[in-house]
């Protein structure tokens, strides 16, 4: 029985929008019905501050069971020695990591935001940049890749207490072992934020930093295709300090309905079909970059190893925001993105980030990718013609209805 028609109607409209439009935002995905169902349960009703076997409230026997299953599945998935499944999302997870390993004012080395990093990797307007003394490294302007010699040079000069790797808008493999070797030279902690590529790593399609790095965080809702949340993985010797930083350091009661959904998602990640999915995500992204390159678009690093790419729109005389608005009118969602050394501000940057995690979940493959890129190009070439957008939107809808999102 529907009790709240107003919200129900909005949810129905959003379901229709998601089902009839193309999602190319690199950080989004569609979860299974099983993941959605776990979230909408009575587990929401429970307070369970603490950890399995050590709670500050009664009645947590079953909650302990659920959280332990989530932990064990995540450990198996990433070959992790210790996992904390309670972080509410990516930034809270990262704040707990810093709290566990650093004191305010400590020096940290992270990738600059406009080079593909994340706000929580030391941007001056973020808690990370306010509380800690970040030095930033950059990607090489010519190759579009991280220059490990340069990272080493900065690390040896600055001697940070922690080095952060793992990014939000970087399309290439990361040389985890080289980061670790550099960190060892200066006795620094290694922290990987794999929020974007975790699903591809879990599926064995990208290199895994978990066995190498001291501590690794990831959100669970991007390529990992689980509920909106995060986890922290670390070496056993850091388990206590990480757990203490999450609770009571940063958070109160964990969201056990989300933890149950994380467990359901991890179980899906462990299945052979998920490996196939991850492979196809990368194949689709590679196809997308090839199609864009054929049409004269400039892709940072000239290709991709993962699910995303950043395209510099300056050669098309459009900003990232303008492109985002045009494509929105065609039923295609993308996110504007900075490009390295972007002359424009983050709210109106010069690039667009595209990702294939969500569309691949729908079953979209190379044939459709080629059509999607052609539609994007047509929209951009006819940027002032709303009748062109309407025609594209119709074709987008036709394609989408052949590839329904899960749970519709
Ligand atoms: N908002 C996420 C992204 O789009 O990459 C990162 O926090």
């Amino acid at each position: 029985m529907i009790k709240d028609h107003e919200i129900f109607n909005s949810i129905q409209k959003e379901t229709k929008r998601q089902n009839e439009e193309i999602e190319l935002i690199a950080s989004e995905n569609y979860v299974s019905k099983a993941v959605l169902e776990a979230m909408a349960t009575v587990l929401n009703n429970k307070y369970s501050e603490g950890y399995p076997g050590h709670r500050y409230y009664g009645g947590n026997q079953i909650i302990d069971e659920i959280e332990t299953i989530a932990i064990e599945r995540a450990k198996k998935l990433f070959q992790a020695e210790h996992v904390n499944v309670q972080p509410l999302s990516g930034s809270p997870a990262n704040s707990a990591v810093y709290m566990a390993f650093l004191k305010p004012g400590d020096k940290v080395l992270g990738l600059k935001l406009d080079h593909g990093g994340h706000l929580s990797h030391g941007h001056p307007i973020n808690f990370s940049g306010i509380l800690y003394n970040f030095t930033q490294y950059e990607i090489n302007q010519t190759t579009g890749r991280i220059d490990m010699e340069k990272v080493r040079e900065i690390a040896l000069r600055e001697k940070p207490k922690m080095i952060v790797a793992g990014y939000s808008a970087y399309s290439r493999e990361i040389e985890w072992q080289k980061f670790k070797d550099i960190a060892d030279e200066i006795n620094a902690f290694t922290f990987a934020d794999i929020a974007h590529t975790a699903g591809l790593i879990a599926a064995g399609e990208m290199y895994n930093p978990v066995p190498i790095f001291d501590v690794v965080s990831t959100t669970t809702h991007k390529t990992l295709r689980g509920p909106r949340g995060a986890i922290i993985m670390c070496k056993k010797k850091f388990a206590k300090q990480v757990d203490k930083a999450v609770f009571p350091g940063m958070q109160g009661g964990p969201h056990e309905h989300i933890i149950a959904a994380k467990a359901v998602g991890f179980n899906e990640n462990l299945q052979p079909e998920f490996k196939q999915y991850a492979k196809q995500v990368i194949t689709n992204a590679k196809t997308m970059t090839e199609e864009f390159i054929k049409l004269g678009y400039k892709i940072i690093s000239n290709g991709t190893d993962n699910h995303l790419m950043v395209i510099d729109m300056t050669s098309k005389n459009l900003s990232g925001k303008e492109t985002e608005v045009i494509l929105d009118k065609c039923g295609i969602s993308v996110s504007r993105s900075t490009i390295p050394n972007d002359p424009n501000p983050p709210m109106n940057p010069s690039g667009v980030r595209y990702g294939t995690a969500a569309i691949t979940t729908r079953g979209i493959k190379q044939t459709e990718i080629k059509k999607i890129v052609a539609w994007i190009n047509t929209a951009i070439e006819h940027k002032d013609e709303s009748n062109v957008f309407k025609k594209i939107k119709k074709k987008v809808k036709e394609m989408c209805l052949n590839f329904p999102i899960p749970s519709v």
Side-chain angles (χ1 to χ4, degrees), residues 25-27 118 168 196 222 335 353:
I25 293 175
S27 46
H118 188 254
S168 293
H196 263 271
K222 298 186 177 92
S335 50
R353 189 185 61 172

Side-chain angles (χ1 to χ4, degrees), residues 295-366:
L295 292 165
Y297 288 81
K298 187 176 169 222
I299 298 185
I300 308 301
S301 91
N302 218 24
T304 187
D305 297 328
N306 58 27
H307 62 301
L308 66 80
M309 68 214 66
V310 175
I311 300 191
D312 178 350
M313 292 304 295
T314 49
S315 63
K316 299 282 172 187
N317 284 325
L318 275 177
S319 74
K321 186 178 168 188
E322 285 164 338
T323 312
E324 186 187 298
V325 170
I326 289 170
L327 295 181
D328 242 351
K329 291 181 184 158
C330 301
I332 300 174
S333 298
V334 298
S335 50
R336 71 193 85 160
S337 173
T338 49
I339 57 168
N341 301 325
D342 204 322
N344 294 311
M347 277 312 282
N348 189 21
S350 307
V352 176
R353 189 185 61 172
Y354 294 86
T356 54
I359 48 171
T360 307
T361 294
R362 306 180 80 135
I364 279 174
K365 294 204 168 84
Q366 295 93 308

Side-chain angles (χ1 to χ4, degrees), residues 22 24 288 292 295 297 311 313 323 326-327 330 332 334 354 369-382 392:
I22 290 174
L24 296 178
M288 191 173 266
F292 274 123
L295 292 165
Y297 288 81
I311 300 191
M313 292 304 295
T323 312
I326 289 170
L327 295 181
C330 301
I332 300 174
V334 298
Y354 294 86
I369 296 282
K370 289 177 186 173
K371 287 186 190 164
I372 293 169
V373 173
W375 293 335
I376 291 172
N377 185 52
T378 304
I380 287 167
E381 306 251 292
H382 299 267
I392 295 173

